[in-house]
Amino acid sequence: MPPLRTIHSGVCHGTLGELLQGPCEHEGELQIGIISLPVRRYSWIHFAPGEDGDIDADLAGKDKCRRAIELYLHRHRRRLPHGRWSHDSELPLGKGMASSTADIVATIRCLDRIFGLDTPAPAISALLRGIERSDSVFLDSHALYLSGRQQVLQTFDAPLRLHACYIDEGGTVETEKLAAPLLSHYRRQLPAYRANLRRALDAFAAHDVAAICACATRSAELAQGVTPKRHLQELLERRREFGADGVLVAHTGSLIGYLYALRPDALRMGALSSFFRGLGHACRFIETGVR
């Protein structure tokens, strides 16, 4: 049997939108704060040392990954060995699953494998700061995160397992173009957002899953003022009928669905599938959380 090739790989999970997104006042400035909903769907970046490759061709369309490599090498004063890059992902672009940030974090982790390093979370945030408005997918817990400053304000270490039934309403959203409209909307609705954030932080502190789902629902409602979902009203009206604990959305994406504290049984899954098919969409079921 021929020897296995040496391959260095980095992996990062994505999200299913956010449990909460809204204004977060920090150091006298209004920032976009998010509490993401992590899921076990992944992005991979691979490097095969010694193989023929060209980074521009290997990572075509992955400009932010190439930028991450440049910043990483400069930070650590390293030179990249000759080799070939490749990538794969379960996270579609522009849907609200943090695909771009997951690609970047997977790239950083692949570089760590190449050079035998272990980039800590604050250093990952610093690298992200030079690339894009990002998500907290490099953490293994839920967190309140400032997407523009790439800063963790608070982590919630108690494991949170939720189950989701969701659809993709279609289209894609460019996150970078939404920052200004979001902040304008937040200023108009600041009292409502402040109240929901306080409730969410209290709910996470108490590990009150029902209250967390209620805050997610309220966040989805508030987001209609700037990134509306076509089917939100139908989901809100039918939520109790389907026994859902809350409604989730990708605030800067195209996903919407129901949240459950307990996994829906087969009968309920069938009813949900019929409902969403009646809206013209195929639904998907997924368990959220990364540990």
Side-chain angles (χ1 to χ4, degrees), residues 252-274:
T252 52
S254 57
L255 308 180
I256 183 171
Y258 285 126
L259 286 171
Y260 290 88
L262 299 175
R263 187 192 305 272
D265 61 20
L267 187 63
R268 177 154 289 162
M269 290 173 71
L272 287 164
S273 300
S274 297

Side-chain angles (χ1 to χ4, degrees), residues 94-95 167-173 229-231 253-256 281:
K95 301 298 184 181
I167 60 170
D168 176 3
E169 288 192 326
T172 58
V173 176
K229 300 294 184 289
R230 295 195 307 277
H231 301 304
S254 57
L255 308 180
I256 183 171
H281 299 276

Side-chain angles (χ1 to χ4, degrees), residues 18 32 73-74 77 138 236:
E18 300 82 20
I32 298 174
L73 295 175
H74 182 265
R77 299 186 179 184
F138 56 91
L236 292 172

Side-chain angles (χ1 to χ4, degrees), residues 155-181:
T155 57
F156 312 113
D157 292 328
L160 176 65
R161 279 276 182 267
L162 293 171
H163 302 269
C165 173
Y166 71 97
I167 60 170
D168 176 3
E169 288 192 326
T172 58
V173 176
E174 293 187 44
T175 303
E176 294 295 331
K177 294 183 178 180
L178 280 174

Side-chain angles (χ1 to χ4, degrees), residues 16 19 37-40 160-166 209 213 243-248 257-265 269 272 284-289:
L16 190 67
L19 289 169
L37 185 59
V39 290
R40 296 189 194 95
L160 176 65
R161 279 276 182 267
L162 293 171
H163 302 269
C165 173
Y166 71 97
V209 176
C213 290
D245 294 288
V247 173
L248 73 94
Y258 285 126
L259 286 171
Y260 290 88
L262 299 175
R263 187 192 305 272
D265 61 20
M269 290 173 71
L272 287 164
R284 296 290 182 264
F285 297 92
I286 194 169
E287 184 179 22
T288 76

Side-chain angles (χ1 to χ4, degrees), residues 50-58 82-85:
E51 295 193 5
D52 290 334
D54 176 85
I55 189 169
D56 291 330
D58 295 344
H82 181 71
R84 182 173 60 87
W85 293 90

Side-chain angles (χ1 to χ4, degrees), residues 89-104:
S89 182
E90 298 175 314
L91 307 171
L93 296 172
K95 301 298 184 181
M97 300 191 77
S99 58
S100 176
T101 309
D103 283 347
I104 296 169

